[in-house]
Amino acid sequence: MGQTDIDKEKLIKFLQRSFNVLPRPYTNGLSTHSSLVYFIVSGLDLLGRLDLLDSQKEHIISWAYSLQILPSQNNQSDEVNIKNCGFRGAHYIGLPFLDCRTIQSDQSLPPPLECDIPNLANTYCSLLILRILGDDFSGINKKAIIKSLKYHQRPDGSFSGSADNMENDMRYLFCACAISFMLNDWSGMDTDLAYQYIVSSQTYEYAFAQGPNQEAHGGYTYCALSALALMNKLKDTPHQDQLLYWLVNRQFTGFNGRCNKDVDTCYSFWVGASLDILSKYHNVIDENLVKGFTIASQHESIGGIAKEPQQVPDLMHNYLSISGLSILGHPSVLPLNSVLGISQRAAGADWNNKLINQLSK
Amino acid sequence: MSDKEQKYIPFSNREEWKDVKPIEQDDGPNPICPIAYSDEFKDKMNYFRAVLKTQDKSKRVIELLNEIVQENPSNYTVWYYRREVIKHLVDQSGKDSFDFDEEMELLEEMGSTDPKNYQVWNHRRFIVENYVGANGEKEFLEQVLQEDAKNYHAWAHRQWLLKNYSLWHGELEYVDKLLQLDHRNNSAWNHRYFILFNLHFNQQTKSMPLNIIEKEIEYAFTHIKHSPNNESPWSYLRGLFKGQKYSVQPKLLATLLELKPKYIGCSHINSLVIEIYQEQNTKESLEESLKICKILYQNIDQIHHKYWEFKEKNIKDQLERLILSQ
């Protein structure tokens, strides 16, 4: 009880243990396995210990590439699965493991399975994992992924997770922007329409919701602001003063994600990163209060950070808390590129220059 | 094991699955970050993979998917395939051949055990929209919101229902009931705004009509008077003016100034007064708001002290610009 700082060694051990095997309660993480791997790889990176994965690095890269869905090779017209090029979340649909970099151009593949469907969140996470590990994206079929994005955008400007899914909202709009940015090709989306969707999702509380008319929410506000930054439209964010006021009012000790809800460590990222993107965090936030709440939420024996004190830690809250510590300037954590959700080291000068401090330039 | 718990029967021992050859998950020579699945879950997924391979869309598949979604409710591929099977069965033998009551029961059950799952709500919308209609949906939502009055998905589903099936009747009364129970239910406040927005928002002026603003200010104040530190009605009050100036309703400032001495420790009333003063943009109003900033960071709202100091600096700049322009 009464720890005065984060126990970094325990945090690292928690991530290493998770990397070796994830306990049974993570069964529901099967379909988004790549996000769990991202939480671990990026977490170790932010803690300055990516070297612990050195012996596994090539295996992780190979695994990530095995998740890529390529355009059907035995159909030259590209139309069979062009809607579905991107990354799967894991290997649960029954295809043999295949690192797609090893496929020869004249090799014919079996026709694509109807159910071999990517999800924009998985594509986003896989690209991040590859970037963190220093891969140069040369094994990625950029053209196919960008082409497929078109089938994910809806008439209202939003994006759905998969082309044939009706689940369309701010989360996937953000993912589409991040993918377009990282692959440096915006031809797969209508950015004006996307901008319209973001604006129409700004509520009477001046923060953003999952979609039009819904309640202002820290997570979706992050997605909206990050998407604007990626599209280089951050300056066109309406009602910035009122939005700042809403974000500031999320802080009690840590932050909550909606008006009159409980504080939760994940919002030290969602709300903290929103403020960071607006270049205002250190002007308006009491860093010590956030730090204290995060420390109190670290589990003494398991080592990871939970959503609140006295809870069992999980990879998502743990990762977002580490990111939150980075934003508040904790010396044990590398600086974060809040827009993409990876370290500035991993993002590199090129991406950092385009994205960070956009408003103060 | 208790008597109540049924012993798991592997699919290989089930008569109706005898013809199917299960397929193992292949994670390659170096599985990354493996999840410690139970043997039962592996067994189910092995048969799921087999089903995908042969594109089996028969009735038995629904049973298999029922078991899988209990353990991996977020699996979008599983839900996708479930929709494909349902479409196929209905196409083949008509709507009556599929038991949609059972489908709704499953969703009801999952709605209460896993009420925050995107995919479950998404599937519910699909079934309602295409097969069973909106009958009973409001009642179901009332139950869910009784458990958690701020369930984001439930409110989204409710908005969709209202819009698509024009079920607006009684909605304001329902919101009012929820707000009487809990003045701090921000989701209910948002819903109230949504209803009024849909009924009255002026698309040409991009703002709410004045008579509605007036009525709603009154409504917000009845709740504010109950607990002045409740952020929700203050946020609602400010939001009514989105797209126009506070000056359209001069009475508001008068009311605030009258209440201010009574609400000594309330940051919300003070911040709203500052906002209105900033909008007035006179030397007197800005000097007055500088004084309030100081009170806020020194006494009333120390958690956000840095914000109020930041605000003070901004207002000083505003004042300077004003003086220079005169």
Side-chain angles (χ1 to χ4, degrees):
Chain A
M1 291 300 280
Q3 298 176 90
T4 55
D5 204 349
I6 286 293
D7 188 334
K8 187 174 166 180
E9 287 315 306
K10 275 193 177 156
L11 265 185
I12 292 167
K13 288 237 166 69
F14 172 72
L15 289 172
Q16 279 188 294
R17 266 205 318 278
S18 303
F19 186 79
N20 290 336
V21 62
L22 287 167
R24 191 152 303 164
Y26 282 97
T27 297
N28 191 29
L30 166 64
S31 42
T32 50
H33 202 161
S34 50
S35 69
L36 301 175
V37 175
Y38 154 63
F39 292 147
I40 297 173
V41 173
S42 195
L44 285 170
D45 180 31
L46 282 169
L47 294 169
R49 292 310 306 272
L50 203 53
D51 61 296
L52 292 169
L53 295 176
D54 275 350
S55 64
Q56 293 289 320
K57 196 174 131 184
E58 284 311 316
H59 297 155
I60 304 171
I61 292 175
S62 179
W63 176 79
Y65 273 118
S66 76
L67 297 172
Q68 186 175 201
I69 302 171
L70 295 170
S72 170
Q73 303 258 324
N74 55 353
N75 183 310
Q76 297 308 316
S77 72
D78 262 6
E79 295 303 317
V80 181
N81 67 338
I82 193 60
K83 290 191 289 190
N84 289 332
C85 291
F87 283 75
R88 315 167 180 107
H91 287 294
Y92 56 81
I93 63 159
L95 294 172
F97 180 93
L98 182 64
D99 177 345
C100 66
R101 292 173 304 175
T102 63
I103 300 168
Q104 304 302 314
S105 55
D106 56 351
Q107 188 181 347
S108 77
L109 293 170
L113 272 182
E114 190 200 330
C115 287
D116 196 5
I117 309 168
N119 177 287
L120 294 187
N122 289 327
T123 305
Y124 161 73
C125 288
S126 294
L127 293 178
L128 292 181
I129 293 167
L130 289 169
R131 180 76 178 191
I132 295 165
L133 296 174
D135 180 79
D136 62 1
F137 288 180
S138 58
I140 289 172
N141 190 330
K142 297 183 188 178
K143 241 171 117 182
I145 293 176
I146 294 298
K147 243 184 173 176
S148 141
L149 267 189
K150 278 190 188 156
Y151 298 92
H152 290 67
Q153 191 165 25
R154 297 288 163 256
D156 64 1
S158 67
F159 279 77
S160 63
S162 308
D164 291 322
N165 194 322
M166 348 172 256
E167 205 182 311
N168 57 298
D169 60 35
M170 198 64 81
R171 290 173 299 161
Y172 296 118
L173 187 153
F174 158 70
C175 292
C177 289
I179 292 163
S180 301
F181 177 88
M182 289 192 273
L183 300 182
N184 198 21
D185 185 346
W186 290 87
S187 64
M189 61 182 282
D190 182 336
T191 52
D192 290 334
L193 210 55
Y195 176 77
Q196 281 311 317
Y197 184 79
I198 295 173
V199 171
S200 62
S201 303
Q202 189 170 30
T203 80
Y204 68 86
E205 297 189 84
Y206 299 103
F208 298 88
Q210 188 184 5
N213 300 316
Q214 292 184 250
E215 188 182 356
H217 185 291
Y220 303 117
T221 297
Y222 167 78
C223 291
L225 289 175
S226 195
L228 288 168
L230 290 157
M231 294 191 286
N232 200 16
K233 290 181 193 283
L234 201 54
K235 285 193 171 73
D236 305 325
T237 312
H239 308 294
Q240 288 182 30
D241 289 345
Q242 289 94 331
L243 168 61
L244 178 66
Y245 180 72
W246 184 88
L247 286 165
V248 166
N249 273 284
R250 297 305 104 234
Q251 185 178 27
F252 292 86
T253 49
F255 300 94
N256 66 12
R258 287 187 262 164
C259 178
N260 282 328
K261 293 272 285 179
D262 293 336
V263 291
D264 175 329
T265 52
C266 72
Y267 294 107
S268 61
F269 175 75
W270 302 123
V271 176
S274 298
L275 287 160
D276 191 34
I277 291 168
L278 295 170
S279 306
K280 290 288 188 298
Y281 189 95
H282 297 289
N283 300 105
V284 297
I285 292 303
D286 186 327
E287 294 94 343
N288 281 325
L289 289 173
V290 187
K291 190 177 151 193
F293 179 68
T294 312
I295 293 167
S297 304
Q298 181 172 21
H299 196 283
E300 272 195 84
S301 49
I302 302 174
I305 302 168
K307 71 182 260 184
E308 59 189 10
Q310 266 89 54
Q311 293 281 329
V312 180
D314 64 275
L315 281 175
M316 186 190 80
H317 283 90
N318 181 67
Y319 178 68
L320 297 176
S321 296
I322 294 174
S323 302
L325 288 171
S326 170
I327 295 168
L328 68 82
H330 196 288
S332 301
V333 190
L334 295 186
L336 184 77
N337 180 320
S338 291
V339 180
L340 287 169
I342 52 176
S343 71
Q344 292 182 18
R345 179 210 65 76
D350 181 25
W351 288 2
N352 291 332
N353 289 340
K354 283 186 194 160
L355 298 177
I356 296 178
N357 296 327
Q358 216 175 80
L359 281 185
S360 50
K361 276 173 194 160
Chain B
M1 190 181 279
S2 74
D3 294 340
K4 272 187 185 169
E5 268 179 70
Q6 276 182 343
K7 201 171 177 316
Y8 181 76
I9 302 164
F11 276 80
S12 54
N13 293 351
R14 301 188 197 189
E15 198 50 47
E16 68 275 28
W17 290 90
K18 275 267 149 58
D19 58 312
V20 177
K21 199 168 160 275
I23 301 173
E24 296 274 335
Q25 177 156 328
D26 181 359
D27 275 311
N30 305 290
I32 297 303
C33 186
I35 301 172
Y37 307 117
S38 67
D39 289 340
E40 282 91 344
F41 184 66
K42 276 185 206 161
D43 184 49
K44 293 168 197 172
M45 288 306 288
N46 291 344
Y47 278 79
F48 177 59
R49 283 182 271 277
V51 158
L52 289 186
K53 191 175 180 190
T54 58
Q55 291 288 295
D56 182 349
K57 289 178 180 168
S58 61
K59 241 175 188 164
R60 66 177 175 184
V61 176
I62 292 291
E63 298 298 320
L64 169 67
L65 301 182
N66 282 350
E67 293 193 34
I68 292 175
V69 292
Q70 303 294 341
E71 286 175 86
N72 188 193
S74 301
N75 194 320
Y76 58 92
T77 315
V78 172
W79 289 108
Y80 168 81
Y81 199 68
R82 189 180 186 94
R83 289 194 290 277
E84 292 303 305
V85 175
I86 294 173
K87 281 189 237 169
H88 173 80
L89 291 173
V90 170
D91 276 356
Q92 269 218 324
S93 335
K95 216 171 121 179
D96 294 338
S97 68
F98 189 82
D99 193 339
F100 283 104
D101 288 342
E102 243 175 55
E103 191 72 3
M104 292 309 278
E105 258 171 55
L106 172 86
L107 286 168
E108 206 122 326
E109 194 189 306
M110 295 197 68
S112 53
T113 53
D114 194 9
K116 294 188 176 173
N117 186 296
Y118 287 97
Q119 282 74 30
V120 175
W121 285 99
N122 188 28
H123 189 69
R124 184 174 192 99
R125 190 179 293 193
F126 169 79
I127 297 293
V128 168
E129 192 166 33
N130 292 291
Y131 303 108
V132 303
N135 230 340
E137 282 303 279
K138 268 192 162 181
E139 289 75 11
F140 165 72
L141 284 175
E142 254 176 75
Q143 274 175 38
V144 177
L145 292 171
Q146 226 159 42
E147 288 294 314
D148 174 9
K150 299 174 182 179
N151 182 317
Y152 206 87
H153 303 284
W155 285 107
H157 190 71
R158 193 171 189 101
Q159 291 189 343
W160 172 79
L161 269 182
L162 296 183
K163 273 186 145 175
N164 284 275
Y165 297 89
S166 294
L167 300 174
W168 301 93
H169 182 71
E171 207 55 15
L172 267 184
E173 291 77 6
Y174 176 62
V175 170
D176 191 46
K177 193 180 90 187
L178 289 185
L179 287 176
Q180 296 304 335
L181 284 171
D182 177 10
H183 301 276
R184 292 174 196 272
N185 183 347
N186 200 57
S187 306
W189 283 100
N190 186 76
H191 197 62
R192 185 174 181 92
Y193 195 93
F194 164 71
I195 300 163
L196 292 171
F197 185 92
N198 271 278
L199 293 176
H200 303 294
F201 193 78
N202 187 330
Q203 290 297 349
Q204 253 138 31
T205 62
K206 297 264 174 236
S207 59
M208 285 283 206
L210 279 181
N211 63 325
I212 299 296
I213 294 186
E214 210 163 308
K215 254 175 75 185
E216 290 307 296
I217 290 177
E218 227 170 276
Y219 185 80
F221 271 119
T222 58
H223 288 270
I224 287 170
K225 282 173 181 159
H226 195 270
S227 43
N229 286 319
N230 175 10
E231 185 185 345
S232 289
W234 288 108
S235 204
Y236 183 78
L237 186 56
R238 292 164 76 243
L240 291 169
F241 291 88
K242 192 179 175 197
Q244 61 194 322
K245 300 209 156 184
Y246 289 112
S247 57
V248 297
Q249 201 60 248
K251 273 197 307 200
L252 175 63
L253 181 62
T255 312
L256 293 174
L257 292 177
E258 195 186 306
L259 289 171
K260 205 161 92 67
K262 278 201 273 182
Y263 296 173
I264 293 171
C266 175
S267 66
H268 306 298
I269 191 165
N270 282 292
S271 73
L272 183 52
V273 170
I274 290 178
E275 235 183 286
I276 297 174
Y277 279 158
Q278 273 193 289
E279 181 187 290
Q280 289 181 346
N281 196 31
T282 66
K283 189 166 171 287
E284 295 70 30
S285 72
L286 292 177
E287 280 170 349
E288 198 52 41
S289 53
L290 284 175
K291 280 186 208 159
I292 304 175
C293 277
K294 204 166 202 170
I295 298 171
L296 279 160
Y297 64 72
Q298 284 182 340
N299 298 307
I300 298 174
D301 193 18
Q302 287 179 12
I303 287 177
H304 308 119
H305 65 103
K306 284 176 80 176
Y307 173 75
W308 293 117
E309 286 164 41
F310 174 80
K311 191 88 185 164
E312 184 185 49
K313 197 183 154 295
N314 283 346
I315 298 170
K316 276 181 184 163
D317 291 346
Q318 189 181 347
L319 183 58
E320 206 168 291
R321 281 196 303 275
L322 179 72
I323 293 169
L324 282 174
S325 71
Q326 280 170 350

